[in-house]
Amino acid sequence: MDKIIIEGGRKLHGEIKISGAKNGALPIIAATLLCPGTHTIHNVPELRDIRTILQLLATLGATWERIDTNTLKINSDNVTEFEASYDLVKTMRASVLVLGPLLARLGRARVSLPGGCAIGARPIDFHMQGFQKLGAQLELEHGYVDAKVCGRLRGATIYFDIPSVTGTENILMAAVLAEGTTVIKNAAREPEIANLIDMLTRMGARIEGRGSDRLTVQGVESLQPAEIEIIPDRIETGTFLIAVGAAGGDVTLTNCNPSHLPSLFEKLRSSGLYLEEGETSIRVIRSGPLKNVDIKTMPYPGFATDLQAQTMALMTLTEGLSVIHENIFENRFMHVAELRRMGADIMVDGGKAIVKGHGKLNGARVMATDLRASASLVIAGLAAQGLTEISRVYHLDRGYDDLVGKLSAVGAKIWRERE
Ligand code: EPU
């Protein structure tokens, strides 16, 4: 297993190219299961989670090849298997995204229940209730959801109590081949869902309401393979903006979509960063002291929970008090204990963290607990005095494409070593 070592205190200067979105690529790769043929996907990031879902697709009968570093061709002619095993699902919860496509195409899907994870209980009850409304029969046995439908699924109206991202994606993928009309109310509005809708539409699906919280799907009898480009990763983009905020410097991010980060931009500008938005680039400069801001995580277009940990690291570097409300996941403060090891003063009270900034952090040995928590420790390490050593960095490899290489290229002193 690798660890990351950072010698803090270097300002960042230069250009970083943003990769395709992990959470955009995963549902789109799952959607290729919906019909036979060869699909082409561009701008796919090089990540462990992508390798995991491709491994899962292979167990279902699909084949794939990378025709260049970021372009994938997936052939789904021989998809006949319908089981996603515990071994794969336990390493990546997003494996549940194969439920909708398999049920729609084969009339059967057997997927291991993901269980809890480092950021909360994360049930999939909304997905299951949605499939039931579409006419599937679901049974829970031996830790697996076994879903079956005789003939085609039937369109229905589905309301989500909370706008679930993968829930919306799973139901969408099931509904496109259902008989009749499906309406998803209180649907999630994340840009990755619009990316999936574009893929499904190119495959022949009929979906209205893209970008809104009400999606209407007119089911079709068949679909055809399609070609799509994955949108830029807005969480990777936000992570680098915050990293420059913490370390200082002047960096331009390219190949990104600034319109996907409205709430983060507001907060970063309020905390003293200069941001210059282009069509597909963002320049970020931090030259002066940081100001404290409060954040509340919300479904898109609110402040992303996937940027909460990174922003908390930034707030430890101000000279004021910052209140951070985590409203999406009940246990997403695992990074707090590690940031405290670096000298941060943070108090947690239920879903609220109160950060008392002291203007600095000290390097220390810390442990990554989940993907975004790991990113927050890297950000803290870039700003800290002395050496920071982060273990269990396999979490980072799940969702950041060459984070160490990209930060090194803009002047950070960061490297990997075998533990
Ligand atoms: N929820 C339920 N029941 C469900 C589904 C969700 O109670 O059936 C609750 C969750 O427990 C949570 C809330 O609804 O409190 C929202 O969860 P959501 O379903 O939207 O999360 P997700 O689809 O499992 C995706 C991302 C996460 C990201 C969240 C929130 C993918 C593959 N994952 O998860 O990404 O944090 O949306 O934006 O798209 C990450 O990339 O690090 C990551 C964790």
Side-chain angles (χ1 to χ4, degrees):
M1 224 187 295
D2 281 1
K3 61 183 175 184
I4 286 179
I5 302 171
I6 307 171
E7 196 181 304
R10 305 229 168 184
K11 288 194 174 10
L12 308 179
H13 288 277
E15 210 174 277
I16 299 176
K17 186 176 171 211
I18 298 301
S19 297
K22 166 178 84 78
N23 293 345
L26 293 172
I28 284 177
I29 292 174
T32 64
L33 292 169
L34 276 165
C35 66
T38 302
H39 306 260
T40 307
I41 312 176
H42 302 281
N43 204 29
V44 180
E46 277 263 316
L47 303 171
R48 200 157 67 97
D49 274 8
I50 299 296
R51 290 193 286 277
T52 306
I53 196 149
L54 289 173
Q55 206 181 332
L56 172 54
L57 255 64
T59 67
L60 301 171
T63 56
W64 54 271
E65 59 172 328
R66 270 194 191 267
I67 57 170
D68 62 47
T69 323
N70 300 112
T71 304
L72 265 181
K73 275 196 183 289
I74 302 178
N75 180 285
S76 306
D77 285 346
N78 299 317
V79 171
T80 48
E81 295 299 322
F82 53 80
E83 179 167 313
S85 74
Y86 179 61
D87 289 338
L88 283 169
V89 180
K90 76 173 185 218
T91 63
M92 190 188 66
R93 301 178 52 82
S95 306
V96 298
L97 283 168
V98 300
L99 251 172
L102 288 178
L103 195 54
R105 176 160 167 197
L106 304 177
R108 182 88 193 266
R110 194 165 180 272
V111 175
S112 169
L113 268 178
C117 74
I119 61 177
R122 302 183 74 188
I124 56 160
D125 50 329
F126 301 162
H127 306 229
M128 286 160 52
Q129 286 157 15
F131 293 133
Q132 272 167 334
K133 282 217 154 179
L134 293 175
Q137 293 194 338
L138 263 65
E139 274 172 39
L140 276 182
E141 46 170 37
H142 309 298
Y144 280 75
V145 185
D146 202 343
K148 291 177 199 161
V149 63
C150 209
R152 281 171 77 188
L153 292 163
R154 285 186 317 275
T157 297
I158 291 159
Y159 170 81
F160 284 124
D161 287 340
I162 304 170
S164 162
V165 176
T166 49
T168 302
E169 292 163 348
N170 236 341
I171 299 303
L172 262 178
M173 291 190 280
V176 290
L177 283 175
E179 202 177 326
T181 307
T182 298
V183 180
I184 309 176
K185 295 181 178 172
N186 202 23
R189 290 185 286 159
E190 271 67 4
E192 292 75 19
I193 292 172
N195 204 184
L196 174 65
I197 291 176
D198 290 343
M199 170 69 172
L200 295 171
T201 305
R202 285 172 188 208
M203 291 169 73
R206 292 170 56 200
I207 304 169
E208 280 169 30
R210 182 186 182 279
S212 79
D213 63 357
R214 187 189 166 99
L215 300 171
T216 306
V217 185
Q218 306 287 347
V220 294
E221 276 184 29
S222 63
L223 296 166
Q224 73 267 345
E227 183 164 356
I228 188 91
E229 174 151 347
I230 302 299
I231 57 170
D233 197 313
R234 64 196 163 94
I235 306 302
E236 187 197 18
T237 309
T239 301
F240 284 125
L241 293 177
I242 298 168
V244 178
D250 179 350
V251 171
T252 299
L253 307 181
T254 61
N255 199 37
C256 58
N257 189 335
S259 71
H260 288 167
L261 285 156
S263 35
L264 178 73
F265 282 15
E266 283 304 308
K267 294 297 174 182
L268 292 184
R269 285 191 171 117
S270 304
S271 73
L273 302 196
Y274 170 78
L275 299 177
E276 195 178 286
E277 298 172 48
E279 194 66 12
T280 57
S281 66
I282 310 167
R283 182 175 177 199
V284 53
I285 304 175
R286 180 196 150 197
S287 41
L290 288 166
K291 293 188 210 109
N292 49 316
V293 290
D294 296 339
I295 64 166
K296 290 187 170 73
T297 63
M298 301 291 261
Y300 188 84
F303 195 96
T305 173
D306 290 344
L307 289 169
Q308 177 259 109
Q310 301 89 316
T311 312
M312 188 183 293
L314 185 69
M315 289 302 109
T316 64
L317 300 165
T318 72
E319 295 282 357
L321 209 69
S322 163
V323 182
I324 297 180
H325 288 266
E326 173 53 59
N327 296 318
I328 307 294
F329 293 112
E330 70 275 18
N331 190 26
R332 210 171 197 180
F333 284 139
M334 300 286 274
H335 42 285
V336 168
E338 302 302 309
L339 288 172
R340 280 192 193 128
R341 292 178 52 74
M342 300 179 71
D345 185 346
I346 307 168
M347 205 185 76
V348 174
D349 177 10
K352 182 170 79 176
I354 300 164
V355 184
K356 205 167 163 189
H358 291 303
K360 68 178 175 67
L361 291 169
N362 303 308
R365 287 178 67 177
V366 288
M367 196 155 54
T369 48
D370 75 74
L371 171 57
R372 310 302 172 187
S374 319
S376 84
L377 298 177
V378 170
I379 289 168
L382 292 171
Q385 290 167 5
L387 280 187
T388 296
E389 208 178 290
I390 307 170
S391 56
R392 296 200 185 169
V393 297
Y394 54 87
H395 290 292
L396 273 176
D397 297 334
R398 289 189 49 196
Y400 287 94
D401 188 343
D402 192 23
L403 184 74
V404 168
K406 288 183 182 185
L407 285 171
S408 299
V410 291
K413 198 147 186 211
I414 177 170
W415 66 95
R416 290 176 84 116
E417 271 180 21
R418 297 294 291 171
E419 276 199 278

